[in-house]
Amino acid sequence: MVVTRVSGRVRSLRARLVVTVLLLFAVACVAIGVATTLSLDRYLSTRQDHELSFSLEGFVAQQTGRAPGRLTEDEGDGTGAPSGDGGRRPGPPDGVFLGPGPSANAIGAVFDDGRVVMARLAQRGGTSTAVSDDDLGALRSVPADTAPHDVTLSLGDYRAIGWTEGTTTYLIAQPDNAGATVTRLVVTELVVLGGAVVLAGIAAAVLVRRELRPLERVAGVAAQVGDLPLDRGEVHLAARVPDPDPRTEVGQVGTALNHMLDNVEGALAARQESETRLRRFVADASHELRTPLTAIRGYAELSRRERDPVPERTTHALARISSQAERMSTLVEDLLLLARLDAGRPLERAEVDLTRLVLDAVGDAHVAGRDHRWFPRLPDEPVTVTGDAHRLAQVVTNLFANARTHTPPGTTVTVSLDRPVPGRVRLRVADDGPGIAPDVLPRVFERFARGAEGRTRAGNDTPSTGLGLAIVAAVVAAHDGTVGVDSAPGRTVFTVDLPV
Ligand SMILES: Nc1ncnc2c1ncn2[C@@H]1O[C@H](COP(=O)(O)OP(=O)(O)OP(=O)(O)O)[C@@H](O)[C@H]1O
Ligand SMILES: [Mg+2]
């Protein structure tokens, strides 16, 4: 469904199109209806009025016994009204006092000084009947100025025309057929055009829905791609708009979207390719560095064990070479491990007894960090997960090393292990040290993120590198787990959640 937001209201494009088409159609219908009605009304009224004046001429001629003559101005608009050139036309036949034409229900009346001389209502077949007094009253009030006037009688709406000669008034009234016809036309138009608008609405809804379906497909593809995780790893943008027709606007949008997806897919593939190459390079470089580093450490060790007297400065230099080579080996190992985890290298999968692992690490920590107090809080029954024992041990070691190296002597470190929910295991390492520096905290799990003290630890043989927590995060992620930290002065807690 294609939806647009208009001034806070959500209205679908489909609904707006249908409404617009319907409005235009309705306006066109009304315009046609009004024009037709007005033109027909004008035509019929003019014709009726001509007939009326012609009838008056016939009526006067019949009543006075004269040949029909012109009583009113002929506007000569081609409606076929008589011009009244007396001699040519025979007078109306006997009994038909209103002249030729559709004169049923016509009324002819003669007044003399307001008194009724004669008044008849013509019937079909040439007969006539009397006119009621009420109607005569209404007819008497019609101005006898040889111009047609509207008058309402008991028989309905009439048009009447009168002519006065001396004190005698001749008057003819005919049913207002023009008005009735126009009224019927208006009713017919309302019914037909109303029906047409309804039908047009249905047709427009169906057509618009059909025409917009390709647009919905385009939106669907865009939404599908929008949901894909594009930020890492190999990405396959398989979704495409099927067979877009480039001759239509929607087809052009579809073609453009497909083209864009091709482009994005190419760019992502290139990014992935270069990332893979870089990772492989780091892994290869780390791997290659291990051997010479081992050799350096070995030779330094060998030289230090030399029995012959060695100058003190040389001994110191050899000790430094040893320790720095050791540090570099650790760094290289860390880099290699990260590169392998990044590459998605499968981990070993075995049952790992976390309780045992934590207990061993606490034992080691006791030895390494004598001036810290270590409190393991472990459940009685062993807690196990499936994973890589080696890597998980590294997670625990790194967290313990941080609790030891980034806190002052006398700090209490509490290690707990529990199952918060079935199927998950939670490891917590908490210390009451000074906490993680606020500028480091938000990116503490990033590579080479470390506090200022770690970088400049004066006189420290092994200044920190900032890879410890990055490795923790990578190993935990490789086990489909999560790691988080909560830190404030006096309380720093690392929480590792792992699936069983
Ligand atoms: N328990 C903690 N208390 C205070 N600060 C901590 C603690 N754990 C980590 N930090 C801070 O987080 C930074 C990053 O830790 P991380 O383990 O990633 O790197 P590192 O310990 O500096 O170096 P490495 O572990 O590679 O030797 C540390 O430099 C330190 O500033
Ligand atoms: Mg560390």
Side-chain angles (χ1 to χ4, degrees):
M1 181 76 160
V2 183
V3 170
T4 39
R5 192 170 281 274
V6 187
S7 62
R9 279 181 305 166
V10 178
R11 273 215 276 157
S12 74
L13 177 60
R14 189 189 296 160
R16 288 198 299 151
L17 279 176
V18 171
V19 168
T20 311
V21 166
L22 267 191
L23 273 181
L24 289 177
F25 185 66
V27 167
C29 283
V30 168
I32 292 172
V34 168
T36 319
T37 308
L38 286 181
S39 133
L40 185 75
D41 182 40
R42 214 180 123 75
Y43 171 76
L44 289 181
S45 310
T46 315
R47 211 178 70 170
Q48 177 172 283
D49 290 351
H50 273 288
E51 258 169 29
L52 205 56
S53 47
F54 174 59
S55 297
L56 180 65
E57 284 164 16
F59 181 56
V60 169
Q62 189 230 12
Q63 290 298 319
T64 56
R66 294 197 299 252
R70 180 183 295 190
L71 303 174
T72 55
E73 280 300 302
D74 184 2
E75 284 154 29
D77 66 350
T79 52
S83 59
D85 50 347
R88 251 189 5 201
R89 229 179 263 277
D94 261 359
V96 183
F97 63 93
L98 300 178
S103 53
N105 282 331
I107 295 171
V110 180
F111 301 104
D112 186 18
D113 210 5
R115 217 167 19 83
V116 182
V117 178
M118 71 79 75
R120 301 301 291 172
L121 171 66
Q123 302 292 345
R124 286 202 185 280
T127 58
S128 62
T129 57
V131 181
S132 74
D133 284 346
D134 286 348
D135 290 347
L136 280 175
L139 287 172
R140 206 178 284 136
S141 62
V142 173
D145 54 2
T146 65
H149 296 277
D150 285 327
V151 58
T152 307
L153 303 181
S154 61
L155 304 159
D157 286 335
Y158 270 66
R159 290 282 280 174
I161 188 168
W163 179 64
T164 305
E165 190 182 39
T167 54
T168 314
T169 300
Y170 301 89
L171 196 125
I172 280 285
Q174 285 182 351
D176 188 0
N177 286 329
T181 309
V182 168
T183 308
R184 209 173 311 134
L185 174 74
V186 169
V187 171
T188 312
E189 274 177 346
L190 282 180
V191 171
V192 171
L193 296 183
V197 168
V198 170
L199 284 182
I202 296 170
V206 170
L207 285 178
V208 166
R209 172 183 282 268
R210 205 186 66 187
E211 290 303 311
L212 284 187
R213 211 164 283 149
L215 194 58
E216 280 170 19
R217 277 201 289 270
V218 172
V221 168
Q224 226 174 310
V225 174
D227 288 342
L228 287 178
L230 303 179
D231 57 335
R232 68 189 62 221
E234 219 156 294
V235 180
H236 290 293
L237 300 178
R240 290 287 187 283
V241 180
D243 307 323
D245 182 355
R247 289 167 304 175
T248 66
E249 284 79 359
V250 176
Q252 284 163 15
V253 173
T255 311
L257 182 68
N258 283 352
H259 186 66
M260 190 187 85
L261 289 178
D262 288 342
N263 205 351
V264 169
E265 192 175 38
L268 288 176
R271 185 214 64 185
Q272 175 63 13
E273 169 79 23
S274 97
E275 222 168 73
T276 311
R277 231 181 295 134
L278 186 67
R279 228 177 261 146
R280 203 176 305 135
F281 170 74
V282 174
D284 290 349
S286 313
H287 191 77
E288 290 304 317
L289 282 171
R290 283 160 119 191
T291 321
L293 276 173
T294 313
I296 291 171
R297 278 162 58 197
Y299 281 111
E301 200 54 42
L302 204 66
S303 309
R304 284 167 71 187
R305 295 205 181 140
E306 191 63 57
R307 294 247 180 85
D308 297 337
V310 179
E312 199 175 319
R313 278 179 59 190
T314 312
T315 314
H316 178 71
L318 283 174
R320 293 291 296 153
I321 289 172
S322 265
S323 73
Q324 291 302 316
E326 185 114 18
R327 184 177 166 233
M328 201 161 165
S329 294
T330 316
L331 187 59
V332 161
E333 289 297 337
D334 285 355
L335 285 176
L336 185 60
L337 173 60
L338 278 173
R340 283 177 176 169
L341 288 171
D342 282 352
R345 248 253 210 136
L347 299 166
E348 272 179 33
R349 293 235 154 240
E351 182 126 326
V352 182
D353 184 350
L354 272 187
T355 316
R356 175 88 261 135
L357 203 143
V358 169
L359 275 178
D360 287 349
V362 169
D364 295 347
H366 266 302
V367 177
R370 285 189 176 284
D371 33 17
H372 282 64
R373 288 178 292 169
W374 300 88
F375 289 108
R377 294 229 170 91
L378 307 178
D380 295 335
E381 74 279 14
V383 176
T384 57
V385 293
T386 307
D388 190 322
H390 212 68
R391 302 286 164 246
L392 289 174
Q394 200 158 1
V395 167
V396 177
T397 309
N398 287 5
L399 291 176
F400 283 16
N402 282 352
R404 180 166 47 81
T405 50
H406 302 299
T407 56
T411 301
T412 305
V413 185
T414 317
V415 189
S416 65
L417 204 54
D418 62 287
R419 289 199 185 88
V421 284
R424 287 195 90 79
V425 170
R426 175 168 292 171
L427 167 73
R428 274 175 196 268
V429 181
D431 67 65
D432 57 0
I436 302 173
D439 60 323
V440 183
L441 187 58
R443 48 188 186 88
V444 79
F445 292 105
E446 286 175 20
R447 284 149 207 209
F448 298 108
R450 57 196 158 152
E453 35 76 49
R455 255 170 273 151
T456 58
R457 224 181 282 160
N460 195 332
D461 260 358
T462 53
S464 67
T465 55
L467 288 180
L469 289 177
I471 288 177
V472 168
V475 171
V476 169
H479 281 85
D480 298 324
T482 55
V483 58
V485 61
D486 217 350
S487 181
R491 183 167 168 78
T492 300
V493 188
F494 283 93
T495 309
V496 175
D497 270 339
L498 290 170
V500 171

